[in-house]
Amino acid sequence: MKRTKARLKINQILTGKKTNLRVVGCLLFREWDEKKKRFYYWEEWEITGLADYDSWVEYDHSDQIVSLYEPIRFTKAIDPAQLEKGQSFTVSEQDGKDHTVVVDEVGVGEIVNIKGKNTYQVFPKELMAYATLKDTGAPKNRQLITIEKYNNREYDAYRKIQLSDKEQKKMFGRTIKPINWSTIIITIIIIAIFLFIFFFEDSNNGGGHGGARGVYGGSSGGFGK
């Protein structure tokens, strides 16, 4: 069975600069990429302790991006299965604020692993229709909205905010994306090679001030031969 990759686990406490959060559930999804002929995976972790109980952290296995999902409540439910890429329309929040959005992506994910206790009762192999909307009037880091449909009747909408490593440490007290050990090992090897070359050349030159003494002394006993 495919495993989750994010550096999170059920019942884990995440202490940030101004937050004290708890991980309560996780859903691992996959979707078949017809163009690349392989499955595309992402995971959504439900957390408590923020202003909204229905808040999630997503880790995308392909682009390795960590995103925070904050609930956004519209006056009408939006069915992602009825949307098409490039479609543009206006939606209204319950507080009366209108948003002009453009459909950026649509698809259907399959649940392949479930951990902990999630808001909705779902089961492995269950399908979830989704759509990503781009809010044209929002700041760049808050433009994405994700619409999800569970159980063919539960509709959710979230503001999707990408979190940098610095923002992750501020909110969670740590980075969520997995440590890239291959990059670390390569970096260590490069540094080791650099140090080896440096000390090898330094040794051949006499090492430190010894090289300077060679100008005036040596076996010839003075300048020249």
Side-chain angles (χ1 to χ4, degrees):
M1 179 181 291
K2 185 75 172 181
R3 296 183 178 181
T4 56
K5 294 185 176 183
R7 298 174 63 208
L8 294 171
K9 58 184 179 181
I10 301 302
N11 293 323
Q12 181 178 7
I13 302 300
L14 302 171
T15 304
K17 287 189 175 181
K18 296 182 180 180
T19 54
N20 191 35
L21 312 173
R22 181 169 172 261
V23 182
V24 296
C26 176
L27 300 175
L28 175 64
F29 293 92
R30 72 177 182 180
E31 182 177 5
W32 179 253
D33 188 324
E34 185 61 34
K35 191 174 182 180
K36 297 183 178 180
K37 302 299 181 183
R38 65 178 178 85
F39 281 109
Y40 165 85
Y41 289 86
W42 74 95
E43 52 200 74
E44 298 179 10
W45 294 79
E46 188 167 9
I47 55 176
T48 59
L50 293 174
D52 290 289
Y53 75 91
D54 187 21
S55 298
W56 301 70
V57 176
E58 179 196 72
Y59 175 68
D60 190 300
H61 290 199
S62 295
D63 58 26
Q64 300 182 341
I65 290 177
V66 174
S67 301
L68 175 67
Y69 280 24
E70 294 181 336
I72 181 170
R73 296 173 175 85
F74 296 127
T75 55
K76 294 182 179 180
I78 303 172
D79 188 347
Q82 302 300 318
L83 300 179
E84 295 181 359
K85 186 174 181 178
Q87 184 179 351
S88 178
F89 55 95
T90 300
V91 293
S92 300
E93 284 190 69
Q94 291 180 356
D95 63 5
K97 185 177 181 180
D98 293 332
H99 301 267
T100 299
V101 298
V102 178
V103 180
D104 188 59
E105 182 183 9
V106 293
V108 178
E110 177 190 3
I111 298 175
V112 293
N113 198 358
I114 300 173
K115 295 183 179 182
K117 186 178 181 181
N118 298 281
T119 297
Y120 297 116
Q121 185 178 12
V122 291
F123 304 93
K125 296 186 178 181
E126 191 169 329
L127 301 180
M128 177 201 71
Y130 72 88
T132 300
L133 314 178
K134 185 171 289 186
D135 185 349
T136 59
K140 188 174 181 179
N141 66 333
R142 298 181 66 86
Q143 283 188 338
L144 297 182
I145 295 173
T146 294
I147 307 296
E148 298 179 345
K149 180 183 179 182
Y150 288 91
N151 303 323
N152 288 320
R153 64 179 182 277
E154 304 287 354
Y155 298 92
D156 287 320
Y158 302 93
R159 178 75 68 180
K160 182 178 180 179
I161 306 169
Q162 293 184 3
L163 300 177
S164 64
D165 289 356
K166 184 177 180 180
E167 290 169 330
Q168 291 172 48
K169 290 178 181 178
K170 183 178 180 181
M171 176 170 286
F172 308 120
R174 63 186 301 176
T175 55
I176 300 303
K177 67 180 183 181
I179 297 173
N180 191 336
W181 289 108
S182 59
T183 300
I184 293 176
I185 292 172
I186 292 173
T187 302
I188 292 174
I189 292 174
I190 292 174
I191 292 175
I193 293 173
F194 173 80
L195 291 176
F196 174 79
I197 294 173
F198 174 79
F199 285 114
F200 180 77
E201 290 183 349
D202 190 56
S203 176
N204 285 344
N205 291 330
H209 295 293
R213 286 198 298 271
V215 175
Y216 301 98
S219 58
S220 60
F223 292 109
K225 292 186 178 179

